[in-house]
Amino acid sequence: MVKVSQPKDLLQILLSVLFISVMIIACLWVVRPFVLGFAWAGTIVLATWPLMLKVQKLLWGKRSLAVLVMTLLLLMLFVIPVALLVNSLVDNSGPVIDWATKGNMELPKFDWLNTIPLVGDKLYAGWNALVDSGGSAIMAKIRPYIGTTTTWFLGQAIHVGSFLMHCGLMLLFSVLLYAKGETLGNGIRHFAFRLAGKRGDAAVLLAGQAIRAVALGVVVTALVQSVLGGVGLAIAGIPNATLLTVVMMLCCLVQIGPLLVLVPSIAWLYWTGDTTWGTVLLVWSCVVGTMDNVIRPVLIRMGADLPMILILSGVIGGLIAFGMIGLFIGPVLLAVSYRLISVWMHEAPAPQDDPNEVVEILEEQE
């Protein structure tokens, strides 16, 4: 007996897909305010999960005590320093805004140009001739852009409260993830396995390894370099050492390195005649500037066995594409894609034929 297949109800399929799409969009819209906080919490928990397990083992296997200790560590290492930094930037931005919004700004005279050997007199005369001839016109053209920039910074200050709220959400979600990490991890693996079988499960595990590798290799290295560099700046007597340390941290995260801040500081010390501390900071900068060549590969290997160029390309590209959270999104995407393509390639044996013979066969076929 021939079984007659029932015709597919096209309208039912379309309405089902439409309903599922609407539900997904609605759910994403509801959780949209919490996505950034949850993303940072997931990243931090994945990176520090082995540490949490060690703390739990030391505290007689009590998960609640381990979660409490990790929460206090996050509060001291992330939330409080960030809040103090934001508060300091907001408080110290007043004089800068007053200076930028005043209309009596004048171009500097740069008297120190006279001290440059051979060409100093010419540079000083040329600069002051430019200022005397068109200084007011130059400032008239520059002032609108300064006003626009100042307005932009004032607008960003409004988002300080939102940023602090995300820090609070990050702390809350971190507590929940530390407490129920295994359950959530198994749920994500189950969902990935339902989508793509073993490869989906492998993709989730690779994503976790890539996040841990970036957190250990890039963020920890940047933190160590910036802190040691900041200590050197403070001891050498560089003004605004705290602010320069923050700038150094950002430079290390984007893989520029700390020397972009340290070298001008060394030059300033020598320029002011403090050669002793300038030499000390020079030696210290050589140590801090080369530290990433030793620490970063070791830490990345501890997190995941991935090529260095893959991690660094993902960090820089992710940062440009997605902002700070892209530090982790970029390497995760590249690492998972790299491993999946590698597995797919190794499903077939590598070619063993002589390349010259292959070329000759192709030429004969033509």
Side-chain angles (χ1 to χ4, degrees), residues 47-280:
T48 58
W49 186 257
L51 177 61
M52 196 276 296
L53 293 180
K54 291 181 181 179
V55 172
Q56 179 179 344
K57 187 176 180 180
L58 292 174
L59 296 175
W60 311 283
K62 299 290 186 179
R63 174 61 61 88
S64 58
L65 295 178
V67 171
L68 179 61
V69 171
M70 294 303 297
T71 303
L72 294 176
L73 286 176
L74 290 180
L75 190 64
M76 291 186 295
L77 296 177
F78 290 97
V79 178
I80 293 179
V82 168
L84 292 176
L85 176 61
V86 171
N87 185 55
S88 176
L89 291 176
V90 172
D91 291 341
N92 295 325
S93 61
V96 177
I97 294 173
D98 292 339
W99 172 84
T101 53
K102 288 180 179 178
N104 56 354
M105 290 182 295
E106 296 180 356
L107 291 175
K109 297 295 183 180
F110 290 150
D111 294 333
W112 55 268
L113 289 174
N114 284 318
T115 61
I116 300 177
L118 300 178
V119 298
D121 296 336
K122 294 181 179 180
L123 291 175
Y124 179 77
W127 171 253
N128 284 277
L130 177 63
V131 172
D132 294 337
S133 62
S136 59
I138 294 173
M139 290 307 301
K141 292 181 179 180
I142 294 177
R143 193 174 295 115
Y145 296 100
I146 296 177
T148 303
T149 305
T150 306
T151 304
W152 182 84
F153 277 107
L154 287 174
Q156 296 303 309
I158 300 175
H159 300 290
V160 171
S162 176
F163 181 76
L164 294 177
M165 182 194 71
H166 285 304
C167 288
L169 289 175
M170 180 272 293
L171 191 64
L172 176 62
F173 288 138
S174 297
V175 173
L176 298 177
L177 291 176
Y178 279 132
K180 301 293 182 181
E182 293 90 351
T183 303
L184 181 61
N186 292 332
I188 294 175
R189 290 184 61 186
H190 190 185
F191 179 77
F193 187 84
R194 184 66 181 85
L195 285 179
K198 292 184 178 180
R199 288 188 176 179
D201 188 20
V204 172
L205 296 177
L206 287 173
Q209 292 178 0
I211 291 175
R212 190 170 292 119
V214 174
L216 289 174
V218 176
V219 178
V220 173
T221 303
L223 183 62
V224 171
Q225 282 187 295
S226 58
V227 169
L228 293 179
V231 170
L233 294 177
I235 294 176
I238 300 295
N240 300 318
T242 303
L243 182 60
L244 292 177
T245 302
V246 176
V247 175
M248 208 178 335
M249 177 71 177
L250 296 176
C251 292
C252 292
L253 286 175
V254 300
Q255 306 305 301
I256 297 176
L259 296 181
L260 190 65
V261 176
L262 293 174
V263 171
S265 301
I266 296 170
W268 182 82
L269 287 173
Y270 279 110
W271 187 264
T272 56
D274 197 351
T275 56
T276 302
W277 282 113
T279 304
V280 172

